[in-house]
Amino acid sequence: GAVVSQHPSRVICKSGTSVKIECRSLDFQATTMFWYRQFPKQSLMLMATSNEGSKATYEQGVEKDKFLINHASLTLSTLTVTSAHPEDSSFYICSAIGAENWNTEAFFGQGTRLTVV
Amino acid sequence: GDSVTQMEGPVTLSEEAFLTINCTYTATGYPSLFWYVQYPGEGLQLLLKATKADDKGSNKGFEATYRKETTSFHLEKGSVQVSDSAVYFCALILNQAGTALIFGKGTTLSVSS
């Protein structure tokens, strides 16, 4: 199946700094990418949807100035957590779909464990 | 609104026991349905899927049938293994391009030998 690579897998940062997480589709063109956040023992919460070349659409309650999403190409989307605080510590997962299989499969990255100290 | 409801866990079974994880959905139109599995510290892997009513998805001994009349997509496996211990998510996607998967809350399965 198609591969989505997410990097880094783990990151520890100091409070007040910014962290960038990359999500790449390695063997297909991802027309749409999704960013999720997962709290311990909970389901995935959709944060935002991004289409290549356009601004991301954020879900209600997600601060777009804090969670900056860029989808500059058909194979790369980035999530930047700006001025991170301990409450931003979480597991972040990206997902990508292609134009041809958008309703039959979404491919997920390995996830990024962010710890803000 | 559109949603997925799955049984709460944890589900604790002995090796070789029969597994059922219930999943029901509410959606407009005819969604595609999925089961994803998440092993500790990892992302999600597609386990199986069904894109229309009466379709049966199957993989690695797991099965689920898309039941439109009961709006259900229950996951079953006849004989679980310790290696099946993971969190299982039922999900749907609406038939609208560019929409995200809608997930259930996940069910933790723990299998002991």
Side-chain angles (χ1 to χ4, degrees):
Chain A
V3 177
V4 173
S5 177
Q6 188 173 339
H7 178 80
S9 58
R10 291 180 176 272
V11 58
I12 300 173
C13 70
K14 290 185 177 180
S15 187
T17 62
S18 295
V19 174
K20 180 185 283 187
I21 302 169
E22 292 188 348
C23 180
R24 294 180 183 273
S25 58
L26 298 184
D27 51 3
F28 70 103
Q29 293 187 326
T31 50
T32 306
M33 286 188 171
F34 307 95
W35 287 95
Y36 294 86
R37 181 173 179 177
Q38 187 178 30
F39 294 97
K41 299 187 178 182
Q42 294 191 28
S43 188
L44 284 77
M45 181 192 78
L46 179 66
M47 298 175 66
T49 300
S50 73
N51 293 294
E52 183 265 338
S54 61
K55 289 184 178 180
T57 302
Y58 289 81
E59 295 299 300
Q60 192 172 9
V62 178
E63 299 177 59
K64 58 184 175 184
D65 293 332
K66 180 166 190 62
F67 298 100
L68 300 178
I69 291 171
N70 183 279
H71 191 167
S73 76
L74 283 171
T75 59
L76 174 64
S77 176
T78 60
L79 166 66
T80 301
V81 183
T82 63
S83 186
H85 288 93
E87 58 265 30
D88 299 324
S89 298
S90 194
F91 193 58
Y92 294 88
I93 304 176
C94 71
S95 172
I97 58 174
E100 297 180 353
N101 64 343
W102 56 266
N103 69 332
T104 58
E105 187 162 1
F107 302 97
F108 286 82
Q110 306 95 316
T112 298
R113 171 71 60 192
L114 170 63
T115 302
V116 184
V117 297
Chain B
D2 306 305
S3 65
V4 174
T5 302
Q6 60 183 105
M7 63 187 286
E8 293 195 19
V11 174
T12 303
L13 295 173
S14 298
E15 207 165 23
E16 300 183 2
F18 184 85
L19 168 71
T20 299
I21 301 178
N22 290 335
C23 171
T24 57
Y25 67 90
T26 302
T28 52
Y30 303 98
S32 296
L33 302 175
F34 305 83
W35 277 99
Y36 282 85
V37 59
Q38 184 179 33
Y39 297 99
E42 298 183 12
L44 272 69
Q45 300 174 26
L46 177 66
L47 181 59
L48 53 84
K49 64 184 179 185
T51 57
K52 61 183 187 295
D54 299 326
D55 270 2
K56 177 187 282 188
S58 62
N59 185 28
K60 299 180 181 179
F62 291 89
E63 293 184 340
T65 301
Y66 189 144
R67 300 287 187 199
K68 181 170 172 288
E69 62 277 12
T70 55
T71 62
S72 65
F73 193 54
H74 304 321
L75 182 69
E76 296 182 338
K77 185 174 185 181
S79 176
V80 294
Q81 305 300 312
V82 173
S83 57
D84 294 327
S85 299
V87 181
Y88 292 82
F89 291 94
C90 185
L92 68 83
I93 192 166
L94 303 174
N95 277 316
Q96 298 173 28
T99 57
L101 282 163
I102 298 171
F103 286 92
K105 292 188 175 182
T107 302
T108 299
L109 170 65
S110 178
V111 180
S112 58
S113 58

